[in-house]
Amino acid sequence: EAYAEMRRIADLTDRFPLAGSAGHAARDVCRINDMAGIGPVRVDPDVITMLELSRKHNARTRGAFDVTIGPVMDLWGFGGKHPHVPGDEELKSSLAMVGDAHMHLNRKDRTVYLDKPGMRLDLGAVAKGYATEKAIQVLKRNGIEKAIIDAGGTIRVIGTHARGVPWRIGIKKPGSTEDILAVLSLQDSAAATSAGYYRYFDSGRRRFHHILNPGTGYPAMENESVTVVAGDAGLADVLSTALFVLKPEEALEIVNKLTGVEAVLV
Ligand code: AMP
Ligand code: MG
């Protein structure tokens, strides 16, 4: 049941099934993107919740976190077969299609509308944590008292590991394959890491990774990795990506204002 719930959220948000395929037509995020500049699309309430969470962090980071980053992500081609450094002109025209203000959410009608043609949502920073949290809720409803879900970069635990001993989670040292930078003790909480080492390509003598600064369209270079601990995996996932884009002092300012949230910045 927990796996099915994760699958359901993944299916709502995955935006890469082939256009025209049955999978494509069934996915809310694909349908929203296809209808950009045309009209609103009715979606699952979970999609509205994820977009509201995203919008909150767009405001909190003064635009550094933005799920309308899709056109720029596509230009770089991270995760595809031929990632490459885009040209200035194409980068400029893709950036013109990015902006939270052009995303219209209607919770009552459960609709989403992107008002510029070519706009595209990318929930890559949000969906995994949200799905993990939903799966944990399924486990809890079924009476599970101790559990760990490792979704890759996002971890959520319930209860303790054994006999009152918290779950121990290692934070990877960026730039090294095996070294651990620190160990977190988690109990009924989540930890999410955003880092440049998850998805990248090398071009010339430079390395380019998948978390972009929407101001420039280039990879955000302020941090090597950001780990956020919070009670909720959805929040931890959104915040880790959001803080990764900010300068460390701006990131800490946000963390220090939030209760129950802690961060490790590298
Ligand atoms: P995460 O691994 O959770 O940090 O998410 C990284 C993913 O977030 C990328 O692969 C993109 O799909 C998406 N993304 C990249 N840059 C941004 C940004 N500035 N704001 C929101 N999402 C982003
Ligand atoms: Mg994230």
Side-chain angles (χ1 to χ4, degrees), residues 1 20 28-29 65 95 103 132 140 157 163 173 181-182 191:
E1 205 185 317
D28 279 1
V29 165
F65 183 85
L95 278 169
M103 172 175 82
T132 302
K140 281 189 171 175
V157 305
R163 279 184 256 106
K173 190 172 178 180
L181 180 87

Side-chain angles (χ1 to χ4, degrees), residues 174 193-199 209-211 223-226 244:
T193 297
S194 289
Y197 55 72
Y198 280 116
R199 202 183 285 175
H209 64 73
H210 68 134
I211 306 176
N223 302 285
E224 283 192 85
S225 86
V226 173
F244 184 92

Side-chain angles (χ1 to χ4, degrees), residues 13-181:
T13 52
D14 175 17
R15 64 193 192 91
F16 293 112
L18 281 179
S21 69
H24 185 93
R27 278 154 171 84
D28 279 1
V29 165
C30 292
R31 289 167 50 240
I32 295 167
N33 292 349
D34 288 351
M35 288 294 282
I38 302 171
V41 173
R42 194 174 157 85
V43 295
D44 188 280
D46 282 314
V47 173
I48 302 280
T49 305
M50 280 183 267
L51 294 177
E52 286 174 347
L53 182 67
S54 302
R55 166 156 288 165
K56 185 173 175 182
H57 287 83
N58 180 266
R60 212 169 238 176
T61 59
R62 294 199 200 88
F65 183 85
D66 197 326
V67 290
T68 68
I69 197 78
V72 190
M73 283 300 294
D74 291 347
L75 198 56
W76 285 87
F78 293 106
K81 282 203 183 94
H82 306 288
H84 69 282
V85 181
D88 289 348
E89 281 308 309
E90 46 178 4
L91 199 54
K92 218 172 129 190
S93 50
S94 292
L95 278 169
M97 292 184 285
V98 176
D100 180 86
H102 297 279
M103 172 175 82
H104 305 271
L105 304 181
N106 186 325
R107 154 84 55 192
K108 195 166 114 303
D109 298 341
R110 280 166 51 187
T111 60
V112 182
Y113 174 48
L114 307 176
D115 71 16
K116 284 189 184 183
M119 279 183 80
R120 254 161 286 160
L121 294 180
D122 180 328
L123 291 184
V126 187
K128 194 198 281 182
Y130 188 82
T132 302
E133 189 61 32
K134 294 287 279 196
I136 283 284
Q137 300 315 324
V138 170
L139 297 180
K140 281 189 171 175
R141 277 203 303 279
N142 283 275
I144 306 288
E145 291 170 356
K146 297 174 193 237
I148 182 165
I149 297 182
D150 179 355
T154 298
I155 287 174
R156 169 75 156 95
V157 305
I158 0 183
T160 57
H161 174 226
R163 279 184 256 106
V165 182
W167 297 93
R168 285 160 58 81
I169 309 297
I171 300 178
K172 199 181 158 203
K173 190 172 178 180
S176 136
T177 45
E178 291 179 3
D179 293 354
I180 299 274
L181 180 87

